[in-house]
Amino acid sequence: MPHHASLRDLAKLCRLSMRRARSECDYLRLQEHQGHLLVEYLRSRGVTVEGLRVMDLGAGEGGYSTALARAEANVVAVDLHAEIVGGPHDRVSADAVALPFEHEGFDLVVCASLLEHVSRPREVLLEIARVLR
């Protein structure tokens, strides 16, 4: 059954998007909501993240990581500046073109709002492919 975000979810997404630049807290709220929408979308496609090993690559403030962890995924938040990433998950500071993880070590990689900020997006995508099962 296809997942369609409710009007309430879309209105909240718009509201949070307009506020995101006000503070790190507002940006985190936006990311958490987007993460929640991602989890719901995956569920609608028969994919539950519960128990999966998930990497949030370019985790930033950690909103996606937090939403995935709330859905009981085993989350590793990866960012160049991992000290800024909070929440109920592991944090790793790493460059996206040289991830310090084994081949095929993750069930899912979430990479939101990162590729447009890197100089070598192809290499990042190759690293994602390498660490995915």
Side-chain angles (χ1 to χ4, degrees):
M1 167 181 269
H3 173 73
H4 300 286
S6 70
L7 286 177
R8 179 178 292 168
D9 283 335
L10 293 175
K12 183 175 182 179
L13 183 63
C14 287
R15 198 170 49 254
L16 292 170
S17 293
M18 290 187 296
R19 296 178 185 162
R20 74 184 183 277
R22 293 188 323 185
S23 70
E24 289 177 4
C25 186
D26 285 317
Y27 191 72
L28 176 61
R29 285 188 190 110
L30 171 63
Q31 281 188 334
E32 286 177 1
H33 185 62
Q34 290 172 315
H36 165 75
L37 293 175
L38 173 62
V39 168
E40 290 304 311
Y41 175 80
L42 291 171
R43 284 181 180 151
S44 77
R45 297 290 191 248
V47 177
T48 57
V49 298
E50 181 180 354
L52 295 183
R53 187 160 188 235
V54 178
M55 179 192 304
D56 180 3
L57 183 58
E61 299 298 324
Y64 282 90
S65 298
T66 299
L68 289 159
R70 284 184 186 143
E72 299 185 35
N74 300 311
V75 180
V76 178
V78 179
D79 200 276
L80 273 175
H81 308 286
E83 66 278 0
I84 66 169
V85 180
H89 40 71
D90 292 335
R91 294 180 287 270
V92 174
S93 183
D95 188 327
V97 298
L99 296 170
F101 303 106
E102 68 277 5
H103 294 308
E104 301 179 1
F106 289 87
D107 301 299
L108 176 68
V109 175
V110 173
C111 179
S113 300
L114 173 68
L115 292 177
E116 65 271 25
H117 298 289
V118 298
S119 61
R120 300 178 348 217
R122 184 176 190 282
E123 285 88 351
V124 173
L125 292 171
L126 289 171
E127 274 295 271
I128 290 171
R130 181 184 69 77
V131 300
L132 276 171
R133 285 191 179 106

